[in-house]
Amino acid sequence: MLRLSRRLNTASTFAATFSALAFGLSAIVLWPTVSRAEQANSGAATSVTASDDLNAVFKAQPCLKSKSLAQLDAPIARVAKRLDAHTPVTIVAVGSSSTGGSGASSPAYSYPSRLERELRQRFPGAPITVLNRGVNGEDAADMMARMDEILGVKPDLVIWQLGTNTLLRDGSIPATGELLQAGISRIRKAGADVLLIDPQFAPRVNAKPAVNDMVGLIAYVAKQAHVPLFRRYVAMRHWHEDEAIAFDRFITADGLHMNDWGYSCLARLLADNIATTVSRSRAVADVQPPQ
């Protein structure tokens, strides 16, 4: 186990390397945080229909792959094996309001709902379910407190988004690192893969002076624990700075949460990264000597 409290100076130096990453996310869930799969027989049919065409939301502004967004740099071995075997895959998305989908027009436009549909297109041979477990206002400690419930569904992959609420409340970054390390260990012991999502590029988060430290620390823990990290900050900064997309195209009027386009493009880029990582895992397996 890392002794992050003794490595704060090292982490801060590492954070500078990741100063191109930053910012985050907070919380306000406007409706029940459930995925499209969980809505199947609910009263949300209209919301689901609204996003049946995954490309419809991108007609006015395309969602382009970002060359600056590196591929996931660690494997998701359990997911890759299950996809290869065409067996069901269960993914749990854990986080606060940006996981829950605050700012989207309906639950169908939360990133977990969109991710489920994007992955099903890429892997039509395996049933894929993405469960939305985002809760308004939570930080890493809150998520750790309900980890037993999260792992109770026996997920194959836990996607963990964290960091923003701690930033917005001027909380302890080293303490978040300790909790993150403990959470990764706990998830792995349950047999699931882990994928981290760092904070987002949004005006209210950008205003926090410690944002580079938070993003850098999450990257540091991910690298040391050898778990994949989806660099949301890099992707969103690319939209704004390189593609010249105005904030109001992907951020709501509160200056913090994403809108339908933002969640949808996030989900597409994440699905692309997962698919690439699975393909890479297959290529590595193909060159392994027989056991």
Side-chain angles (χ1 to χ4, degrees):
M1 177 176 287
L2 294 174
R3 297 170 180 162
L4 291 177
S5 59
R6 297 182 181 179
R7 291 186 169 184
L8 182 55
N9 290 336
T10 303
S12 297
T13 301
F14 196 91
T17 304
F18 284 85
S19 59
L21 313 169
F23 319 120
L25 166 60
S26 175
I28 297 174
V29 176
L30 301 181
W31 14 255
T33 57
V34 294
S35 74
R36 179 176 182 268
E38 295 173 290
Q39 299 166 17
N41 295 313
S42 73
T46 301
S47 297
V48 174
T49 302
S51 63
D52 276 349
D53 179 359
L54 290 177
N55 293 311
V57 71
F58 302 131
K59 288 181 180 178
Q61 178 67 58
C63 175
L64 304 176
K65 290 185 179 181
S66 170
K67 293 182 179 179
S68 61
L69 180 61
Q71 297 174 356
L72 301 179
D73 50 6
I76 45 175
R78 180 181 176 89
V79 170
K81 288 178 182 178
R82 293 187 70 84
L83 288 172
D84 281 345
H86 303 289
T87 54
V89 173
T90 298
I91 299 171
V92 176
V94 181
S96 56
S97 58
S98 69
T99 295
S102 183
S105 63
S106 78
Y109 281 103
S110 69
Y111 103 73
S113 292
R114 296 286 297 195
L115 178 63
E116 178 180 278
R117 305 184 59 166
E118 293 278 358
L119 289 174
R120 286 184 175 187
Q121 281 198 346
R122 288 162 178 75
F123 303 101
I128 298 173
T129 300
V130 180
L131 303 176
N132 189 335
R133 296 295 182 261
V135 175
N136 175 35
E138 285 200 339
D139 58 17
D142 298 318
M143 297 172 208
M144 281 293 290
R146 59 187 177 95
M147 192 60 72
D148 285 344
E149 176 187 350
I150 291 164
L151 297 176
V153 300
K154 301 186 183 305
D156 301 298
L157 170 65
V158 174
I159 301 177
W160 193 358
Q161 163 263 309
L162 77 164
T164 304
N165 284 327
T166 298
L167 279 171
L168 295 176
R169 298 164 187 164
D170 299 315
S172 171
I173 293 175
T176 298
E178 296 286 353
L179 288 165
L180 178 56
Q181 182 190 18
I184 290 170
S185 177
R186 197 164 168 186
I187 293 166
R188 281 175 160 169
K189 285 180 180 178
D193 293 327
V194 189
L195 190 159
L196 303 180
I197 297 181
D198 63 9
Q200 83 230 38
F201 185 83
R204 278 177 57 190
V205 184
N206 297 357
K208 305 304 289 188
V211 66
N212 286 345
D213 292 333
M214 177 63 81
V215 172
L217 184 62
I218 292 172
Y220 176 75
V221 173
K223 184 177 180 65
Q224 294 300 311
H226 196 51
V227 299
L229 168 65
F230 181 79
R231 296 174 174 85
R232 178 169 54 169
Y233 169 73
V234 171
M236 296 179 70
R237 188 183 67 172
H238 173 77
W239 298 344
H240 186 64
E241 295 184 355
D242 299 329
E243 294 186 42
I245 302 175
F247 274 121
D248 61 9
R249 280 279 190 170
F250 59 91
I251 296 290
T252 61
D254 68 2
L256 179 63
H257 296 100
M258 284 182 279
N259 57 21
D260 288 354
W261 190 95
Y263 286 126
S264 298
C265 193
L266 170 68
R268 177 158 293 185
L269 296 177
L270 180 54
D272 285 342
N273 273 254
I274 290 173
T276 299
T277 300
V278 168
S279 296
R280 188 166 62 240
S281 297
R282 288 170 174 165
V284 171
D286 287 344
V287 299
Q288 295 292 330
Q291 298 297 318

PDB file of all heavy atoms in Angstrom, residues 78-92:
ATOM      1  N   ARG A  78     -10.593  -8.283 -16.697  1.00  0.00           N
ATOM      2  CA  ARG A  78     -11.814  -9.055 -16.465  1.00  0.00           C
ATOM      3  C   ARG A  78     -12.858  -8.749 -17.538  1.00  0.00           C
ATOM      4  O   ARG A  78     -13.494  -9.654 -18.090  1.00  0.00           O
ATOM      5  CB  ARG A  78     -12.373  -8.763 -15.079  1.00  0.00           C
ATOM      6  CG  ARG A  78     -13.656  -9.526 -14.766  1.00  0.00           C
ATOM      7  CD  ARG A  78     -14.184  -9.187 -13.378  1.00  0.00           C
ATOM      8  NE  ARG A  78     -15.444  -9.842 -13.113  1.00  0.00           N
ATOM      9  CZ  ARG A  78     -15.576 -11.052 -12.578  1.00  0.00           C
ATOM     10  NH1 ARG A  78     -14.479 -11.738 -12.247  1.00  0.00           N
ATOM     11  NH2 ARG A  78     -16.767 -11.585 -12.364  1.00  0.00           N
ATOM     12  N   VAL A  79     -13.018  -7.476 -17.836  1.00  0.00           N
ATOM     13  CA  VAL A  79     -13.987  -7.079 -18.857  1.00  0.00           C
ATOM     14  C   VAL A  79     -13.604  -7.669 -20.208  1.00  0.00           C
ATOM     15  O   VAL A  79     -14.451  -8.184 -20.939  1.00  0.00           O
ATOM     16  CB  VAL A  79     -14.092  -5.549 -18.940  1.00  0.00           C
ATOM     17  CG1 VAL A  79     -14.919  -5.117 -20.153  1.00  0.00           C
ATOM     18  CG2 VAL A  79     -14.714  -4.983 -17.666  1.00  0.00           C
ATOM     19  N   ALA A  80     -12.330  -7.597 -20.555  1.00  0.00           N
ATOM     20  CA  ALA A  80     -11.879  -8.130 -21.844  1.00  0.00           C
ATOM     21  C   ALA A  80     -12.179  -9.627 -21.953  1.00  0.00           C
ATOM     22  O   ALA A  80     -12.655 -10.103 -22.997  1.00  0.00           O
ATOM     23  CB  ALA A  80     -10.383  -7.870 -22.012  1.00  0.00           C
ATOM     24  N   LYS A  81     -11.915 -10.387 -20.889  1.00  0.00           N
ATOM     25  CA  LYS A  81     -12.171 -11.828 -20.915  1.00  0.00           C
ATOM     26  C   LYS A  81     -13.652 -12.135 -21.078  1.00  0.00           C
ATOM     27  O   LYS A  81     -14.048 -13.035 -21.831  1.00  0.00           O
ATOM     28  CB  LYS A  81     -11.634 -12.467 -19.633  1.00  0.00           C
ATOM     29  CG  LYS A  81     -10.119 -12.524 -19.566  1.00  0.00           C
ATOM     30  CD  LYS A  81      -9.659 -13.134 -18.248  1.00  0.00           C
ATOM     31  CE  LYS A  81      -8.131 -13.162 -18.156  1.00  0.00           C
ATOM     32  NZ  LYS A  81      -7.685 -13.703 -16.850  1.00  0.00           N
ATOM     33  N   ARG A  82     -14.487 -11.384 -20.382  1.00  0.00           N
ATOM     34  CA  ARG A  82     -15.927 -11.643 -20.460  1.00  0.00           C
ATOM     35  C   ARG A  82     -16.481 -11.260 -21.830  1.00  0.00           C
ATOM     36  O   ARG A  82     -17.360 -11.944 -22.366  1.00  0.00           O
ATOM     37  CB  ARG A  82     -16.661 -10.926 -19.333  1.00  0.00           C
ATOM     38  CG  ARG A  82     -16.320 -11.497 -17.960  1.00  0.00           C
ATOM     39  CD  ARG A  82     -17.162 -10.900 -16.860  1.00  0.00           C
ATOM     40  NE  ARG A  82     -18.554 -11.332 -16.945  1.00  0.00           N
ATOM     41  CZ  ARG A  82     -19.022 -12.470 -16.453  1.00  0.00           C
ATOM     42  NH1 ARG A  82     -18.193 -13.336 -15.878  1.00  0.00           N
ATOM     43  NH2 ARG A  82     -20.305 -12.768 -16.556  1.00  0.00           N
ATOM     44  N   LEU A  83     -15.982 -10.190 -22.396  1.00  0.00           N
ATOM     45  CA  LEU A  83     -16.421  -9.808 -23.737  1.00  0.00           C
ATOM     46  C   LEU A  83     -15.994 -10.858 -24.761  1.00  0.00           C
ATOM     47  O   LEU A  83     -16.763 -11.201 -25.667  1.00  0.00           O
ATOM     48  CB  LEU A  83     -15.865  -8.437 -24.107  1.00  0.00           C
ATOM     49  CG  LEU A  83     -16.487  -7.246 -23.376  1.00  0.00           C
ATOM     50  CD1 LEU A  83     -15.706  -5.973 -23.680  1.00  0.00           C
ATOM     51  CD2 LEU A  83     -17.948  -7.064 -23.769  1.00  0.00           C
ATOM     52  N   ASP A  84     -14.785 -11.364 -24.621  1.00  0.00           N
ATOM     53  CA  ASP A  84     -14.309 -12.403 -25.536  1.00  0.00           C
ATOM     54  C   ASP A  84     -15.148 -13.667 -25.429  1.00  0.00           C
ATOM     55  O   ASP A  84     -15.357 -14.382 -26.414  1.00  0.00           O
ATOM     56  CB  ASP A  84     -12.843 -12.734 -25.247  1.00  0.00           C
ATOM     57  CG  ASP A  84     -11.899 -11.702 -25.831  1.00  0.00           C
ATOM     58  OD1 ASP A  84     -12.348 -10.910 -26.680  1.00  0.00           O
ATOM     59  OD2 ASP A  84     -10.721 -11.687 -25.436  1.00  0.00           O
ATOM     60  N   ALA A  85     -15.639 -13.947 -24.219  1.00  0.00           N
ATOM     61  CA  ALA A  85     -16.444 -15.148 -23.998  1.00  0.00           C
ATOM     62  C   ALA A  85     -17.925 -14.910 -24.278  1.00  0.00           C
ATOM     63  O   ALA A  85     -18.734 -15.833 -24.161  1.00  0.00           O
ATOM     64  CB  ALA A  85     -16.283 -15.617 -22.553  1.00  0.00           C
ATOM     65  N   HIS A  86     -18.272 -13.677 -24.675  1.00  0.00           N
ATOM     66  CA  HIS A  86     -19.663 -13.304 -24.956  1.00  0.00           C
ATOM     67  C   HIS A  86     -20.574 -13.567 -23.755  1.00  0.00           C
ATOM     68  O   HIS A  86     -21.709 -14.012 -23.902  1.00  0.00           O
ATOM     69  CB  HIS A  86     -20.182 -14.042 -26.195  1.00  0.00           C
ATOM     70  CG  HIS A  86     -19.350 -13.805 -27.414  1.00  0.00           C
ATOM     71  ND1 HIS A  86     -19.321 -12.614 -28.078  1.00  0.00           N
ATOM     72  CD2 HIS A  86     -18.491 -14.627 -28.085  1.00  0.00           C
ATOM     73  CE1 HIS A  86     -18.491 -12.687 -29.109  1.00  0.00           C
ATOM     74  NE2 HIS A  86     -17.972 -13.890 -29.129  1.00  0.00           N
ATOM     75  N   THR A  87     -20.034 -13.303 -22.576  1.00  0.00           N
ATOM     76  CA  THR A  87     -20.819 -13.433 -21.350  1.00  0.00           C
ATOM     77  C   THR A  87     -21.221 -12.041 -20.856  1.00  0.00           C
ATOM     78  O   THR A  87     -20.577 -11.047 -21.190  1.00  0.00           O
ATOM     79  CB  THR A  87     -20.013 -14.166 -20.266  1.00  0.00           C
ATOM     80  OG1 THR A  87     -18.752 -13.495 -20.085  1.00  0.00           O
ATOM     81  CG2 THR A  87     -19.768 -15.605 -20.648  1.00  0.00           C
ATOM     82  N   PRO A  88     -22.276 -11.946 -20.055  1.00  0.00           N
ATOM     83  CA  PRO A  88     -22.751 -10.622 -19.609  1.00  0.00           C
ATOM     84  C   PRO A  88     -21.682  -9.847 -18.845  1.00  0.00           C
ATOM     85  O   PRO A  88     -20.898 -10.420 -18.079  1.00  0.00           O
ATOM     86  CB  PRO A  88     -23.936 -10.971 -18.700  1.00  0.00           C
ATOM     87  CG  PRO A  88     -24.414 -12.291 -19.197  1.00  0.00           C
ATOM     88  CD  PRO A  88     -23.182 -13.028 -19.619  1.00  0.00           C
ATOM     89  N   VAL A  89     -21.666  -8.551 -19.078  1.00  0.00           N
ATOM     90  CA  VAL A  89     -20.734  -7.649 -18.403  1.00  0.00           C
ATOM     91  C   VAL A  89     -21.543  -6.626 -17.612  1.00  0.00           C
ATOM     92  O   VAL A  89     -22.428  -5.960 -18.163  1.00  0.00           O
ATOM     93  CB  VAL A  89     -19.819  -6.923 -19.410  1.00  0.00           C
ATOM     94  CG1 VAL A  89     -18.976  -5.858 -18.704  1.00  0.00           C
ATOM     95  CG2 VAL A  89     -18.931  -7.919 -20.146  1.00  0.00           C
ATOM     96  N   THR A  90     -21.223  -6.491 -16.328  1.00  0.00           N
ATOM     97  CA  THR A  90     -21.878  -5.502 -15.478  1.00  0.00           C
ATOM     98  C   THR A  90     -20.870  -4.438 -15.072  1.00  0.00           C
ATOM     99  O   THR A  90     -19.810  -4.751 -14.513  1.00  0.00           O
ATOM    100  CB  THR A  90     -22.461  -6.159 -14.205  1.00  0.00           C
ATOM    101  OG1 THR A  90     -23.447  -7.118 -14.577  1.00  0.00           O
ATOM    102  CG2 THR A  90     -23.112  -5.107 -13.305  1.00  0.00           C
ATOM    103  N   ILE A  91     -21.206  -3.208 -15.383  1.00  0.00           N
ATOM    104  CA  ILE A  91     -20.364  -2.065 -15.050  1.00  0.00           C
ATOM    105  C   ILE A  91     -21.135  -1.191 -14.062  1.00  0.00           C
ATOM    106  O   ILE A  91     -22.317  -0.907 -14.274  1.00  0.00           O
ATOM    107  CB  ILE A  91     -20.008  -1.246 -16.310  1.00  0.00           C
ATOM    108  CG1 ILE A  91     -19.228  -2.125 -17.303  1.00  0.00           C
ATOM    109  CG2 ILE A  91     -19.203   0.004 -15.946  1.00  0.00           C
ATOM    110  CD1 ILE A  91     -19.017  -1.464 -18.664  1.00  0.00           C
ATOM    111  N   VAL A  92     -20.474  -0.768 -12.994  1.00  0.00           N
ATOM    112  CA  VAL A  92     -21.082   0.159 -12.042  1.00  0.00           C
ATOM    113  C   VAL A  92     -20.349   1.492 -12.130  1.00  0.00           C
ATOM    114  O   VAL A  92     -19.126   1.547 -11.974  1.00  0.00           O
ATOM    115  CB  VAL A  92     -21.032  -0.380 -10.603  1.00  0.00           C
ATOM    116  CG1 VAL A  92     -21.583   0.659  -9.626  1.00  0.00           C
ATOM    117  CG2 VAL A  92     -21.829  -1.664 -10.485  1.00  0.00           C
TER     118      VAL A  92
END
